[in-house]
Amino acid sequence: MVLPTRSESIERTQEYVDFIASVDAFHQARGTPFDREPKVGSRHVDLLRLFNLVMSKGGYDKVSAEKLAWRTVGLEFSLGHSNLPALAFNLKTVFYKNLAAYEISTIHGKVPPPREILEDLTARGGDLLNRTLDNYKPPGNKDHSHLANGDDSDGSGNNTPKVERGSEEPGTGSRATRGLRQAPPQRVLFQPEITTRQPRNTSNYNASAQSAAASAAQTALARAAASASYLASEANPLNSNFKPDIYQSRGLPTIGVRAISTPLSDPSSIRERTHQLLERRRAQAPDPYRGVTMPGTGFNGPNIYHRILMSLRSSIQAEVGFALHHMVKISYERGDKYKFEQFPGLAEGLMEMVLAAFSAFTWKPWQISYSAYGSGPNSQLEVNELDGLYNIPDIVDRIAANSVTSYETNFIDDALALKVGYGTEASLVLRNLGLLEENARFLADIKIMRDVMTIALCSKGYPSTTEMTQNMLELAEQVTKHLEFPAVEERDGLRQALLLGLRSSDRGTVLSSLRALSRASMNVDTSADSNASGCVELIEPAVLEGVSHWLLLYDDDLVYASLDFLYQYTSKASSVETLITKLNAPALVQNVARLLSHNSRSYEESRLVKNAKKAKPPTEAPVLPEELIKRLAGLEEPLRSSMWLKSSFAQDYDAHITQLQLWQLYSNCFAAYDARDPAKNRMAAAEFIKNVGVTFGDKFAKAEVVQENGVASYIIRGIRFRRKPIGPDGNEYIKCWWQEPDSPGLVGSSLHICGLFCPDKESLYFHIMSAHLDYSQHDDGNWSPPKLPGKVYHCEWHGCTRWSTEGRLTPQILALHIRQHLPDEHKIDAHDYDGSAGAKYETIYHWETSSEPRKDARGRIQRLPKGVPLGAALVLINIAKAVRELPPPIGGQENLDLLFTRVKAQVWDSCANNRTLATQMSELVELFS
């Protein structure tokens, strides 16, 4: 018989080969080992199949979080049912060691955790996507039961709970007294064992042990038999039948000789005993390192922040790379809590790395001098030396003189690439941490920081330093608002570098330069007697014209930054004078006014002009349809009286009705039905009056006694007659407003309204067609008019003006026209207000721009303007104020009107209809008057 061969567990397709190559390259870049064909049990695992299967179930974290999920995966790999938990954990370990980091990087697009908290640990636990060095503490040597990111799922090897043994004796597990306190056992001094106690599982005993026990028992029996025979023999002197002539001595017992181990005869045994003796003495000796924390004994060392600081100070390449790698992660994850003032020297160390990266593209590397003799405004420094205590006014000239004019960028060696990489990471850390206000203020107080940003902004634009330059430019956005700039006449390197950035063709550089210049002028005193200066006063007319052109772009960020820059620029009257004389000011004002309605949203509002008058309540009860009375008559008391009250009366605080009138109306309504069934239980008058309060509640329907002309009158206050009855389903009946002559056939007879109530509009339509127009309905639902020659059809609906009695209609058009008078829905008490004196409304059109909800001192929510429309309004207000202050021929009221001639209508429209900018537009309109 030939046994079938077992199929190979891995399908080596082209997809499998490509996948293994991709994972292998990933692990080589990561620096972690990779097992191409791991083995679980007796089978090799197909990593491609395992990866696809786990991804179909949601990934490693989701499978680990689900109970018994890895066992299910193991069953799909045909690992067998024997010891499945261990095989499932081994399969999970295969994925954890080889594919977990690959999944995080390729599937989720995130940076996987470091090796020391992923591949170097066991596969216990989950939540790998959120595992970092900050929130995860690796387990100690003795505690491996839990992980910092949560407990493991199936196959994780968690501690097995101990089996609690009960105190009951064997055989009492099913007794009703299980768990009760048992009586203590009796104290017996000695109870000999009569039967030999058998072990629980005798099959596990060794056969040699059983044979040894049997031989020992046989030897004991033989000795006992020999002793008994000797005592009973005549050779025993103690026996009464002792015969001396046959006495024989038993002889001396044989003494066994034991060999003694000596260094000559047994050297290995002597060495072993000597070693044990020395170990025993060493264990008993006092520990010289007692109380000292040794490496690997549970001491975690300094935290990650201090270790990063020490790594940067060490200047060791591997340590510096480690520090910068983790600093980038910390700046993204904990940048809002990481402050430079807590770690002295960290900011300076990062700036030195940025300088070292830019020094690779200079003739001489940049150096920082803190020497006393070389410091000061008039100090004589080398072209590559930076003053650490003062700022250098001619830093831009030094950068131009020290920069390499031509540099081969086609080839960059490893040393240069490493230096530029470190500088890029250091600039990114400074940029991220500078977003915190405390860190930005701390960096502004460092004198050398100003020159470092200037060097970064004035670099020649090498491709290797582009990212580093952009990071430092974004850092300048946060730092410049805390810096003080000298007067316009004095030179300042950072201000000059930011103004040069406005001439760049790169959008990011222009956008960041605009923001930095605007923020640099935020805290500047703009009063007339102030000598303080910002950065926007030195802008050239050509650049200012470019800023005005950027307002025409469909780029909200760039437009808003340009408006913010113009707001700071127009805050001084002298700048507005330059703007009017050097640029086309009316065109600029027109472009800015166009942005007042940027991204606006229009809406309609209905405003109440005249309140409606409340109609007088009816004085008579509604006539209930016969169909409704029949339905109510079949109900039992007190339900019948409650339903009748709800169908005929409504709640009204100001109305009342006498109890006698209410009882008479109720009795007359059901008198005919009560007469047919005398045996039916009827409600008494007193019970009926009590039921009124139960139906409407004591709050509304109250029984009172009032005096009228000295006569006591018993009334029910809080209810009134309904205009239309309501059925048990809560819908209002529809009244028929068809008019009929009082005397049919008599010309000129007065008309009266039918007044019949129908439960719905289809019933009303049937009533009009059959009762008033004598139409007949067929089985298919169609109507046919009566065959009366010469009959003229009119619409007799009360209030119909389209087809009055003077018009002529065909029967078909009349049938369609009647449906126009039928209501679309049931409206309870729709005629409580007089239609002739109803409320009047007018429609008002508004439009709103970008706003932000804020609460005022009283807790009311107000919509405050923001964004591009607010910036445009503030620029227009600054220009209008400056023009009014300037003397002629540039300023004055006439020039102001001439400047805003084209946009006055748009400004008035915004003031009237834009509620968001109402305050700003009102201020601008006041400047026109």
Side-chain angles (χ1 to χ4, degrees):
M1 178 178 181
V2 179
L3 296 176
T5 59
R6 188 172 183 178
S7 61
E8 190 175 2
S9 58
I10 299 178
E11 293 186 24
R12 306 182 187 279
T13 60
Q14 185 61 36
E15 182 183 4
Y16 172 81
V17 174
D18 297 341
F19 177 77
I20 294 299
S22 175
V23 179
D24 190 11
F26 173 80
H27 280 281
Q28 288 183 5
R30 183 173 169 83
T32 51
F34 174 58
D35 190 357
R36 289 173 169 267
E37 296 182 3
K39 194 173 184 181
V40 176
S42 59
R43 295 178 62 86
H44 290 280
V45 177
D46 188 344
L47 292 182
L48 175 60
R49 181 187 172 193
L50 176 61
F51 184 78
N52 293 334
L53 181 60
V54 174
M55 291 303 102
S56 64
K57 295 180 178 294
Y60 177 85
D61 286 348
K62 188 172 182 180
V63 175
S64 299
E66 184 179 352
K67 191 174 183 63
L68 304 180
W70 284 106
R71 295 192 186 183
T72 306
V73 176
L75 291 176
E76 296 189 15
F77 271 82
S78 302
L79 299 179
H81 296 274
S82 178
N83 199 11
L84 182 58
L87 295 175
F89 182 72
N90 292 339
L91 185 63
K92 178 184 178 182
T93 303
V94 168
F95 191 96
Y96 179 83
K97 297 287 187 181
N98 299 287
L99 301 175
Y102 183 77
E103 174 199 348
I104 296 173
S105 177
T106 58
I107 301 300
H108 302 284
K110 296 184 178 180
V111 179
R115 172 180 178 177
E116 55 267 20
I117 60 173
L118 189 60
E119 286 89 355
D120 293 347
L121 301 179
T122 60
R124 296 189 180 96
D127 198 11
L128 300 183
L129 291 175
N130 299 323
R131 182 183 293 185
T132 61
L133 291 173
D134 295 334
N135 63 12
Y136 177 74
K137 181 179 180 181
N141 296 332
K142 297 183 179 180
D143 185 10
H144 296 283
S145 59
H146 298 283
L147 290 177
N149 288 335
D151 295 337
D152 197 0
S153 67
D154 177 47
S156 61
N158 289 338
N159 291 340
T160 304
K162 296 181 179 180
V163 180
E164 297 182 358
R165 299 183 179 272
S167 59
E168 298 84 356
E169 296 180 1
T172 63
S174 61
R175 292 174 53 187
T177 60
R178 184 181 184 89
L180 299 180
R181 184 175 180 180
Q182 303 294 330
Q186 297 291 334
R187 292 189 178 181
V188 181
L189 295 179
F190 175 71
Q191 292 182 357
E193 240 182 52
I194 300 176
T195 59
T196 304
R197 182 178 177 183
Q198 297 294 331
R200 295 183 181 178
N201 190 4
T202 58
S203 61
N204 295 334
Y205 279 82
N206 199 342
S208 61
Q210 295 180 0
S211 60
S215 61
Q218 293 177 2
T219 304
L221 291 176
R223 289 181 178 177
S227 178
S229 62
Y230 173 75
L231 293 176
S233 65
E234 295 179 352
N236 186 4
L238 301 178
N239 194 359
S240 58
N241 297 326
F242 174 71
K243 295 180 180 181
D245 53 346
I246 63 173
Y247 172 75
Q248 293 181 0
S249 178
R250 299 180 62 181
L252 297 175
T254 304
I255 301 176
V257 179
R258 181 171 58 89
I260 298 176
S261 299
T262 63
L264 184 60
S265 62
D266 192 1
S268 60
S269 176
I270 294 298
R271 283 197 301 270
E272 181 66 24
R273 288 166 59 185
T274 304
H275 177 71
Q276 294 178 358
L277 180 61
L278 293 177
E279 288 293 332
R280 193 180 302 113
R281 290 179 179 177
R282 189 180 295 109
Q284 295 175 356
D287 188 5
Y289 299 104
R290 184 177 181 181
V292 179
T293 304
M294 301 298 293
T297 58
F299 177 61
N300 295 328
N303 57 29
I304 186 63
Y305 305 112
H306 288 87
R307 185 179 176 186
I308 288 173
L309 184 59
M310 296 298 105
S311 299
L312 290 176
R313 292 176 178 175
S314 66
S315 300
I316 302 175
Q317 182 175 341
E319 291 294 327
V320 171
F322 165 83
L324 290 176
H325 171 75
H326 288 282
M327 276 297 297
V328 171
K329 295 182 62 178
I330 292 173
S331 65
Y332 278 110
E333 299 172 359
R334 300 289 300 278
D336 56 337
K337 298 180 180 179
Y338 198 99
K339 299 180 180 180
F340 282 125
E341 59 184 10
Q342 299 176 353
F343 305 95
L346 178 59
E348 291 81 354
L350 294 174
M351 286 188 292
E352 290 178 359
M353 289 188 179
V354 175
L355 276 180
F358 282 105
S359 297
F361 304 93
T362 58
W363 296 109
K364 296 181 180 181
W366 294 106
Q367 296 179 358
I368 303 175
S369 175
Y370 294 96
S371 59
Y373 64 89
S375 300
N378 300 321
S379 60
Q380 298 297 327
L381 298 175
E382 296 293 335
V383 68
N384 64 322
E385 288 186 348
L386 302 177
D387 195 340
L389 303 178
Y390 297 92
N391 296 118
I392 303 176
D394 59 343
I395 182 65
V396 177
D397 298 336
R398 291 172 178 265
I399 295 172
N402 194 30
S403 299
V404 177
T405 56
S406 60
Y407 190 85
E408 294 294 335
T409 59
N410 296 330
F411 175 77
I412 297 179
D413 56 359
D414 294 340
L416 179 58
L418 185 63
K419 185 180 295 185
V420 173
Y422 285 169
T424 303
E425 291 182 348
S427 64
L428 181 59
V429 172
L430 287 172
R431 178 260 182 196
N432 292 342
L433 297 182
L435 297 176
L436 189 63
E437 195 70 19
E438 292 85 348
N439 289 338
R441 191 178 295 108
F442 181 87
L443 293 175
D445 294 337
I446 302 176
K447 296 296 182 179
I448 195 62
M449 187 67 204
R450 197 166 188 150
D451 293 340
V452 173
M453 290 189 296
T454 305
I455 293 173
L457 301 183
C458 293
S459 62
K460 293 297 183 180
Y462 304 113
S464 304
T465 62
T466 302
E467 184 178 357
M468 188 163 34
T469 302
Q470 186 63 32
N471 292 335
M472 298 303 292
L473 187 58
E474 294 179 4
L475 176 63
E477 296 182 27
Q478 310 300 326
V479 177
T480 49
K481 58 185 176 181
H482 302 290
L483 296 176
E484 294 182 1
F485 289 86
V488 178
E489 298 79 9
E490 301 180 13
R491 300 181 63 184
D492 183 78
L494 181 59
R495 179 169 56 191
Q496 188 176 354
L498 292 174
L499 292 174
L500 290 176
L502 296 180
R503 296 178 173 272
S504 175
S505 59
D506 180 65
R507 174 186 176 275
T509 303
V510 172
L511 185 60
S512 299
S513 299
L514 282 173
R515 291 172 177 172
L517 290 170
S518 301
R519 295 180 182 182
S521 304
M522 288 174 57
N523 300 325
V524 177
D525 187 7
T526 58
S527 59
D529 56 346
S530 176
N531 294 325
S533 173
C535 295
V536 297
E537 293 85 354
L538 297 178
I539 186 171
E540 299 178 0
V543 179
L544 188 62
E545 185 177 1
V547 174
S548 64
H549 291 167
W550 293 334
L551 298 177
L552 302 175
L553 300 177
Y554 291 97
D555 189 338
D556 289 354
D557 293 335
L558 189 57
V559 170
Y560 183 73
S562 301
L563 288 173
D564 195 10
F565 177 83
L566 288 176
Y567 172 72
Q568 300 296 337
Y569 182 81
T570 56
S571 59
K572 280 191 175 184
S574 58
S575 300
V576 177
E577 182 178 1
T578 304
L579 185 145
I580 294 175
T581 56
K582 301 295 184 181
L583 298 180
N584 187 359
L588 175 63
V589 171
Q590 190 173 1
N591 290 338
V592 175
R594 178 183 56 86
L595 299 175
L596 291 174
S597 58
H598 180 74
N599 289 338
S600 61
R601 301 176 301 275
S602 60
Y603 65 94
E604 299 179 2
E605 180 183 357
S606 184
R607 179 182 297 178
L608 179 64
V609 179
K610 180 182 177 182
N611 292 325
K613 289 184 179 180
K614 190 172 182 180
K616 295 181 180 180
T619 57
E620 295 181 358
V623 180
L624 300 184
E626 189 66 25
E627 178 265 340
L628 178 59
I629 297 176
K630 186 176 180 180
R631 291 175 62 185
L632 297 178
L635 302 176
E636 296 292 336
E637 297 290 357
L639 180 60
R640 186 180 75 172
S641 61
S642 297
M643 297 301 297
W644 179 83
L645 288 170
K646 290 182 179 180
S647 64
S648 303
F649 294 86
Q651 298 172 355
D652 192 345
Y653 293 100
D654 301 328
H656 68 275
I657 185 174
T658 62
Q659 299 180 12
L660 180 59
Q661 182 184 5
L662 185 62
W663 169 250
Q664 289 177 353
L665 291 173
Y666 178 71
S667 302
N668 296 335
C669 182
F670 299 101
Y673 292 93
D674 293 342
R676 299 173 189 172
D677 189 6
K680 188 174 183 179
N681 184 21
R682 297 181 179 86
M683 179 176 285
E687 295 178 357
F688 174 76
I689 298 301
K690 291 181 181 179
N691 194 37
V692 176
V694 174
T695 303
F696 293 102
D698 296 334
K699 253 185 182 180
F700 297 96
K702 298 180 180 179
E704 297 180 359
V705 181
V706 296
Q707 298 292 333
E708 295 181 0
N709 299 327
V711 180
S713 178
Y714 297 90
I715 65 172
I716 299 280
R717 185 177 300 279
I719 60 175
R720 63 164 175 82
F721 295 119
R722 288 189 181 275
R723 300 183 185 277
K724 299 178 182 179
I726 294 179
D729 53 357
N731 292 329
E732 188 181 62
Y733 275 68
I734 305 174
K735 186 178 180 179
C736 178
W737 292 86
W738 196 268
Q739 301 177 115
E740 291 185 335
D742 295 337
S743 301
L746 182 61
V747 179
S749 176
S750 60
L751 301 176
H752 69 277
I753 297 175
C754 173
L756 180 69
F757 290 99
C758 300
D760 49 39
K761 59 182 181 180
E762 292 299 330
S763 302
L764 178 60
Y765 185 76
F766 181 84
H767 164 71
I768 295 173
M769 298 294 290
S770 59
H772 297 297
L773 298 177
D774 295 334
Y775 278 44
S776 58
Q777 189 178 23
H778 302 289
D779 296 337
D780 57 356
N782 296 324
W783 296 87
S784 60
K787 298 181 180 180
L788 298 175
K791 180 175 178 59
V792 180
Y793 293 94
H794 314 285
C795 179
E796 301 291 347
W797 190 270
H798 177 68
C800 179
T801 58
R802 183 173 183 181
W803 301 103
S804 61
T805 56
E806 297 179 358
R808 293 177 177 271
L809 286 172
T810 62
Q812 293 78 11
I813 296 179
L814 178 61
L816 296 175
H817 171 71
I818 290 174
R819 288 194 174 273
Q820 298 180 1
H821 296 296
L822 304 182
D824 294 335
E825 58 183 1
H826 296 285
K827 295 182 179 180
I828 300 176
D829 286 347
H831 299 283
D832 281 355
Y833 291 90
D834 190 0
S836 61
K840 293 184 178 180
Y841 297 87
E842 65 177 0
T843 303
I844 302 176
Y845 298 92
H846 292 285
W847 48 280
E848 287 185 351
T849 51
S850 302
S851 60
E852 181 179 2
R854 291 285 182 87
K855 286 186 178 181
D856 58 5
R858 298 182 179 180
R860 297 174 300 183
I861 297 179
Q862 295 182 349
R863 309 293 299 186
L864 300 181
K866 68 173 185 178
V868 173
L870 177 61
L874 295 179
V875 170
L876 293 177
I877 292 174
N878 281 352
I879 295 176
K881 286 182 178 180
V883 172
R884 288 190 62 177
E885 295 175 0
L886 290 173
I890 297 177
Q893 189 65 38
E894 295 182 0
N895 292 323
L896 176 62
D897 295 338
L898 183 62
L899 184 62
F900 282 85
T901 299
R902 300 181 183 178
V903 299
K904 273 191 175 182
Q906 190 171 359
V907 171
W908 281 105
D909 184 35
S910 299
C911 182
N913 298 324
N914 191 348
R915 292 185 175 181
T916 309
L917 293 175
T919 303
Q920 290 75 16
M921 290 294 98
S922 300
E923 183 180 358
L924 181 58
V925 168
E926 290 179 0
L927 296 174
F928 294 157
S929 59

